[in-house]
């Protein structure tokens, strides 16, 4: 190994970073060579983002050193990175999971944003040309003149990468870059990263997807509880070993999913959710749903596949009372709930795991415990008449923290301080238990949007298992996901949404990946006549 990775381009030595109540990085060392793609892996809360935030100047380490190979002499030198600006000057750039682009400006304007030159001095035409050149060189296709609000999330990510390249970054850090990408986009990103590495850049990328580690990286470092557990050559390891290193136990990749379907096909329970010819507008007032009809029965998981931004969010909002319909009907257990309030939906047993966790999912400044009981506090056993039962609440929250393995310093920690994946687990715990306590008398309905996005393998496994348990208990589940593997593993049927329309619905058991991919891209099979309108 040593000869393959001569002088590290960047080296972190014994990094310690503490937050109140946690040691997020506990003497972590990491080195990356020029030309190397290095994957950073670890469970939710393991300290990955923190470590990279130290490298890119967002956080200061409490202990430890960072060495960077000098651009002039090629000799490693100690560097003091006090701000993202310092990091930039040293050639270190990071693409954060939440992009920091200005929606009302163009791609090219965003690329030069913060560079210090007044805009009128620069000729935008030249900048656009330079952006074009870079985008061609690295296969990062975007239109330099397009406005950020006009382009997809995948394109926005390319802009973030171009921004770093334009500034001449030698060390590029990407925090969960593929969490928001379609499978095709992820693969393209893999090629782009390789091209950048071939130019001599050092790439560090954080991911939870083991397939990507195997496909894209040269080496991989696994963090657990803030410590570096191992650094391995990707070629010398495999998914099972990586998962074991991350979690500290064996992880099974197989799910037991009992077939409930009989031979006639639709022998599910009664219809719990009925969506009939629903139309709705998006936030810009443009049509987002154009006559969607769906049915989800008790004991059934209906998957919604599609590229983000094709009406998924609006669909979830319409069937949880968060967005008005422009036409059509929403029925829950036969009851017409069209345009009813979210409270009515909750009362009828509808749970919702939203895509935007911090926006609508959680109250960031409130303690973890309050966030967990938000939906259950009015009911037995947490309250008795108007009184909240303190002990019962404590017991309840501690049980959820245990079951869902939410890593937090304490139940009273404000949720905004939790790691990305632990925020997610908090919502899941609350929504799934809200459904469970309801389902004692009637089948519940769960609307789950990207329920495992950003979750580590262990947590993904337990969420999948929980969803299947809910299904076995008779819950109706609408599972909106961009992850086809997830949909194929869990769903009974898969409906593909494109530009606000359901293109087709297929049984998951005999679904064909290529066909699904084509539908997601808006193409129907040519053999089906009369579908153009
Ligand atoms: N700004 C902060 N204030 C307090 N605690 C923090 C802060 N940022 C992170 N932490 C804590 O540090 C630990 C590591 O968090 P970090 O965000 O680095 O995890 P991660 O490995 O990126 O996880 P994920 O996969 O969930 O994104 C967690 O326990 C988290 O709660
Ligand atoms: Mg993180």
């Amino acid at each position: 190994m040593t000869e393959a990775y001569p002088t590290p381009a960047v080296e972190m030595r014994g990094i310690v970073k503490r937050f109140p109540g946690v040691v997020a990085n506990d003497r972590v060392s990491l080195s990356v060579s020029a030309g190397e793609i290095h994957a950073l892996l670890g469970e939710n809360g393991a300290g990955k983002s923190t470590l990279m935030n130290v490298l890119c100047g967002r956080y200061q380490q409490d202990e430890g050193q960072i060495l960077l190979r000098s651009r002039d002499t090629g000799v490693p030198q100690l560097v003091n990175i006090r701000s993202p600006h310092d990091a930039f000057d040293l050639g270190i750039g990071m693409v954060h999971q939440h992009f920091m682009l200005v929606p009302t400006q163009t791609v090219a304007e965003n690329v030069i944003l913060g560079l210090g030159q007044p805009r009128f001095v620069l000729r935008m035409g030249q900048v656009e040309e330079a952006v074009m050149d870079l985008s061609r060189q690295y296969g990062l296709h975007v239109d330099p003149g397009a406005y950020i609000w006009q382009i997809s999330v995948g394109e926005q990510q390319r802009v973030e990468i171009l921004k770093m390249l334009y500034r001449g970054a030698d060390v590029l850090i990407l925090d969960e870059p593929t969490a928001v990408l379609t499978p095709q986009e992820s693969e393209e990103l893999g090629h782009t990263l390789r091209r950048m590495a071939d130019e001599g850049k050092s790439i560090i990328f954080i991911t939870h997807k083991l397939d990507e580690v195997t496909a894209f990286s040269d080496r991989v470092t696994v963090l657990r509880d803030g410590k570096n557990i191992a650094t391995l050559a990707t070629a010398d390891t495999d998914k099972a070993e990586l998962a074991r290193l991350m979690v500290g136990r064996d992880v099974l990749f197989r799910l037991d999913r009992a077939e409930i379907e009989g031979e006639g096909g639709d022998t599910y329970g009664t219809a719990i959710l009925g969506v009939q010819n629903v139309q709705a507008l998006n936030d810009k007032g443009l049509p987002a749903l154009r006559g969607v009809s769906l049915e989800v029965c008790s004991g059934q998981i209906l998957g919604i596949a599609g590229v983000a931004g094709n009406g998924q969010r609006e669909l979830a909002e319409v069937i949880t009372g968060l967005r008005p319909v422009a036409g059509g009907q929403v029925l829950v257990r036969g009851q017409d709930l069209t345009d009813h309030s979210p409270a009515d939906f909750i009362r009828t047993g509808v749970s919702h795991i939203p895509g935007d966790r911090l926006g609508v999912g959680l109250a960031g400044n409130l303690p973890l415990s309050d966030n967990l009981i938000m939906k259950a506090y009015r009911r037995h056993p947490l309250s008795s008449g108007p009184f909240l039962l303190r002990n019962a609440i404590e017991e309840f929250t501690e049980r959820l923290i245990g079951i869902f393995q939410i890593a937090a310093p304490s139940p009273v920690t404000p949720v905004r301080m939790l790691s990305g994946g632990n925020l997610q687990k908090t919502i899941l715990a609350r929504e799934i238990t809200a459904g469970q306590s309801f389902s004692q008398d009637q089948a519940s309905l769960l609307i789950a949007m990207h329920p495992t996005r950003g979750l580590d393998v262990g947590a993904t496994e337990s969420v999948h298992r929980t969803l299947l348990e809910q299904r076995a208990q008779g819950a109706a589940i609408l599972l909106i996901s961009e992850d086809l593997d997830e949909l194929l593993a869990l769903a009974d049927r898969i409906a593909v949404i494109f530009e606000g329309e359901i293109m087709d619905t297929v049984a998951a058991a005999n679904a064909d990946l290529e066909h699904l991919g084509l539908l997601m891209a808006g193409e129907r099979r040519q053999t089906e006549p009369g579908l153009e309108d």
Side-chain angles (χ1 to χ4, degrees), residues 309-331:
N310 275 285
Q312 292 95 320
R313 186 161 68 93
E314 289 81 3
L315 177 63
E317 288 175 353
V318 154
I319 47 188
T320 48
L322 291 167
R323 182 177 295 268
V325 304
Q329 271 190 315
V330 179
L331 305 167

Side-chain angles (χ1 to χ4, degrees), residues 19 24 43-50 59 176 208 417-421:
F19 291 114
E43 288 189 286
N44 296 129
K48 306 176 295 295
S49 297
T50 302
Y59 297 154
E176 297 192 40
H208 288 294
M417 289 189 180
L418 301 192
S419 79

